[in-house]
Amino acid sequence: MGKTKIILMNAQHPEKEKIREAAEIIKKGGLVAFPTETVYGLGGNALDEHAAEKIYAAKGRPQDNPLIVHIKAIGDLQDIVEDFPKEAGRLMEVFWPGPLTILFRKKPVIPAGTTAGLDTVAVRMPAHRIALELIEAAGVPIAAPSANLSGKPSPTCASDVYEDMNGRIDMILDGGPCPVGVESTVLDLSGPVPLILRPGGITKEELENILGPVEVDPGLLPGQKPRSPGQKYRHYAPHARMTVVEGSVEHQIEKIIELAKGMENLGKRVGIMATAQTRHRYPNTIVISVGDRNAPLTISSNLFAVLRKFDRMGVDEILAEGISKEGLGLAVMNRLYKAAGYNIIKV
Ligand code: AMP
Ligand code: MG
């Protein structure tokens, strides 16, 4: 494949002509990266087994990690799933369009290639004009994992997609930065208690307001086996080695300064992922504030971009502060744990 075409888009009022050009590619079985409210997606026709194969190849994604199918309206769900529990109806009314993915029993129209052979399909309706209009114009649901090379931090702007996907896909629609910055919450309603398979943009607390008690897959804890295939891989990972330090803020700062000194004495280039509240506490080191501890959306929206920035700066070691796991913090900490390959120090 030749060079990948990047098209600059108006995110509020996507230009019809550009959407049509991208939709033609999808219809012909090609791949288009597009912005969503979570991260950039790498889209192909969800009904086309060959398109799914191309997605796996472009990302270097393991074959057993199923794709999320994106639809443009709740009414389109019935074409692709056998049935849905009544809680799903409530959730869709409240959270769609938005960063919530729900598992359903799939209809045969969704090929095994899209779901990695599973008889369930993960579906969501994204809250982004470009995504919705692209799905509409393509006339098919769009399967789209994050538009990064498998294992790397997800892309939250078009240049990060280009860095990973140039020459591997047909087109990138550049609609600016993604507002949420972490992927959707993946929810399984098939058991007695709703189960979060991957924490994401819709929080556990928000789900509990609608559903009552919700559990988080215990397999996501360090050393356990997660239920969702995609959660078992090291993910979101920068080239640098990464350590997450958790505990009270003062103890975190102390520990990170101590670790940084030790690493620098060994000749390592160290980057510290701090917060607005703590960035000035680290002397003589590369420090990036990922956001405000009291506003986790400022952190989630920056997280992956900061990991990629450290890589571009050529740091050998990243030392990251932990934050509270309340609200969006749960998704942020899940991504940090995985980016660090569960290399966690508690202080
Ligand atoms: P990505 O699209 O790369 O953000 O990842 C999609 C996530 O959804 C992965 O963690 C997958 O394992 C998960 N997922 C997609 N489909 C299913 C499914 N049918 N059952 C369980 N997890 C799924
Ligand atoms: Mg991904």
Side-chain angles (χ1 to χ4, degrees):
M1 185 179 291
K3 208 166 178 284
T4 299
K5 194 166 172 184
I6 301 192
I7 299 200
L8 199 58
M9 302 283 300
N10 182 324
Q12 270 71 48
H13 304 284
E15 297 84 348
K16 291 266 174 286
E17 204 35 58
K18 297 177 179 176
I19 291 285
R20 210 168 301 136
E21 191 183 343
E24 280 310 311
I25 294 174
I26 301 278
K27 284 184 194 170
K28 287 188 188 132
L31 304 184
V32 176
F34 59 94
T36 77
E37 80 280 31
T38 59
V39 303
Y40 272 74
L42 175 48
N45 179 355
L47 309 182
D48 176 357
E49 192 113 38
H50 301 295
E53 274 168 28
K54 283 190 196 168
I55 291 175
Y56 283 91
K59 281 181 61 87
R61 183 175 173 102
Q63 295 290 336
D64 66 345
N65 188 2
L67 308 176
I68 292 175
V69 173
H70 295 71
I71 58 176
K72 64 168 188 336
I74 295 177
D76 294 344
L77 191 65
Q78 64 193 39
D79 300 337
I80 57 175
V81 311
E82 290 289 355
D83 45 30
F84 58 84
K86 75 172 183 310
E87 310 93 283
R90 286 277 292 131
L91 292 173
M92 290 185 275
E93 268 171 37
V94 177
F95 297 115
W96 282 10
L100 176 66
T101 297
I102 305 174
L103 298 192
F104 300 95
R105 293 199 305 138
K106 79 171 188 71
K107 277 192 171 159
V109 66
I110 299 288
T114 298
T115 63
L118 298 176
D119 54 12
T120 53
V121 60
V123 186
R124 85 174 189 104
M125 177 179 168
H128 198 292
R129 290 292 298 272
I130 293 175
L132 292 171
E133 293 191 16
L134 178 63
I135 302 166
E136 165 94 52
V140 288
I142 292 184
S146 48
N148 51 282
L149 286 173
S150 191
K152 286 193 53 178
S154 303
T156 48
C157 64
S159 59
D160 289 349
V161 179
Y162 189 79
E163 183 176 84
D164 283 15
M165 289 298 153
N166 182 28
R168 294 174 166 261
I169 62 175
D170 300 290
M171 181 181 278
I172 300 169
L173 298 179
D174 179 356
C178 302
V180 177
V182 289
E183 296 83 348
S184 59
T185 303
V186 178
L187 188 68
D188 181 356
L189 294 169
S190 67
V193 181
L195 189 65
I196 292 175
L197 300 183
R198 174 179 74 183
I202 298 294
T203 65
K204 179 169 184 275
E205 295 85 343
E206 286 173 303
L207 292 172
E208 287 185 327
N209 281 337
I210 307 293
L211 296 173
V214 169
E215 282 173 9
V216 180
D217 179 8
L220 295 178
L221 293 170
Q224 303 300 307
K225 186 173 181 295
R227 290 213 192 187
S228 188
Q231 292 294 301
K232 68 176 183 247
Y233 298 104
R234 180 166 187 227
H235 234 126
Y236 320 116
H239 293 301
R241 217 176 74 98
M242 183 166 160
T243 308
V244 180
V245 179
E246 280 193 281
S248 76
V249 175
E250 286 307 315
H251 286 146
Q252 285 182 29
I253 295 170
E254 232 170 75
K255 187 71 186 175
I256 289 176
I257 290 174
E258 176 199 321
L259 289 170
K261 270 196 195 131
M263 289 165 175
E264 279 163 355
N265 285 343
L266 295 172
K268 304 280 186 206
R269 195 170 155 83
V270 179
I272 295 173
M273 187 190 273
T275 46
Q277 284 81 358
T278 60
R279 62 176 307 165
H280 58 282
R281 302 284 300 277
Y282 300 99
N284 306 325
T285 342
I286 300 169
V287 184
I288 302 179
S289 164
V290 66
D292 178 344
R293 285 180 169 273
N294 300 320
L297 187 61
T298 63
I299 296 182
S300 64
S301 59
N302 264 324
L303 182 67
F304 291 130
V306 169
L307 293 179
R308 283 179 181 258
K309 192 165 177 184
F310 277 128
D311 273 347
R312 283 196 293 271
M313 294 169 104
V315 309
D316 307 301
E317 298 272 0
I318 298 171
L319 298 171
E321 293 178 6
I323 62 163
S324 154
K325 288 183 183 137
E326 272 166 41
L328 262 181
L330 185 67
V332 167
M333 290 308 293
N334 167 267
R335 305 307 186 270
L336 283 181
Y337 281 176
K338 294 178 73 67
Y342 289 100
N343 182 20
I344 304 161
I345 295 180
K346 302 221 179 196
V347 287

